[in-house]
Amino acid sequence: MNSSRSDSYAAAGVDITAGYKAVELMKSHIQRTMTAGVYSDVGGFGGLFLPDLAGMECPVLVSGTDGVGTKLKLAFLMDKHDTVGIDCTAMCVNDIICCGAKPLFFLDYIACGKNVPQRIEQIVSGVAEGCVQSGAALIGGETAEMPGFYPENEYDLAGFAVGIVDKKDIIDNSATRKGDVLIALPSTGVHSNGFSLVRKVFDVDNQDIKSPVAELSGRSIGETLLTPTKIYVKPMLALFKEVKVKGVSHITGGGFYENIPRSIPDGLGAVIERRDVRVLPIFDLIAKRGNIPERDMFNTFNMGVGMSVTVAPEDVDKALAVLKAQSIDAYVLGHIEESSEKVTIC
């Protein structure tokens, strides 16, 4: 039993015993994420991981870090905290899979105005679920109680992931050629980007976001917006084994126009037919309610495409079949042409 306690610190608003309670509550969730490489237990000053390098000629570590952003405001308003951790994990592991890397481990950081152990447990349960979905171990983290800096019922959440890939298998877009095909992996919704605009459009602080909305098949705006970010790691790892993937883009903030170019070399561009994009109803509602031009929508949101993959024309059918076997309803999004414009939507 930890006997550490400071009445003076508690009087200043920091209850260190609540921190111990939160750690105890989250241990069962962390245990779900344990993989063969984990070399330490919860509570140490650092998380230890022993990677399996068998069969690798030149291992390269790939890291990624991100947060959930102002989507957290929706979690506060809905008083639902068990899914934003999935978002946090997804934003990191989806980035590193774009290089061809397999996630190894994850660390989270929660900063809050008041440490409510049960709420911290809910947050970490989501982080753990994201780790399970991506095959990463949750080997450490930090919860910082910061009264006077954050409101009592608010918090921020960020994370950090490390993955590994053999140097010869790194995906760097250098093999992309004219005629290659862009494949779309559908998103589950807005994911974790563009929420400053979303909150303005729906005026979430002042308007009802809990009632059913016809355009969203009876789901509420709040429920729809809190849908967790899709994690693409396992389907992508399966695809890498079967098909030569030339480029991968995680469609996050900046939408199509900012993210797809990151997987295309200079002198080439993606040509996408607007009618081929399977736009989700939530984006139609955002555009309608906010009177937002279509160009801005595609330059802010994923529009229903969470990730894009570039393959050779002869590999399209196999790639679609592999992804379908992984329960991903992928489809052809566009093709690569010689162009000074990185993305053309027509």
Side-chain angles (χ1 to χ4, degrees), residues 155-166:
Y155 56 85
D156 197 7
L157 174 62
F160 175 85
V162 172
I164 195 167
V165 60
D166 205 340

Side-chain angles (χ1 to χ4, degrees), residues 2-34:
N2 199 319
S3 60
S4 174
R5 174 178 171 78
S6 169
D7 291 334
S8 298
Y9 210 5
V14 178
D15 183 359
I16 57 179
T17 61
Y20 304 142
K21 176 64 173 177
V23 170
E24 286 300 315
L25 291 174
M26 67 177 72
K27 279 185 176 179
S28 63
H29 302 295
I30 296 171
Q31 191 60 41
R32 294 179 58 217
T33 75
M34 293 297 98

Side-chain angles (χ1 to χ4, degrees), residues 31-39 49 104 135-137:
Q31 191 60 41
R32 294 179 58 217
T33 75
M34 293 297 98
T35 61
V38 177
Y39 210 65
F49 193 90
L104 295 176

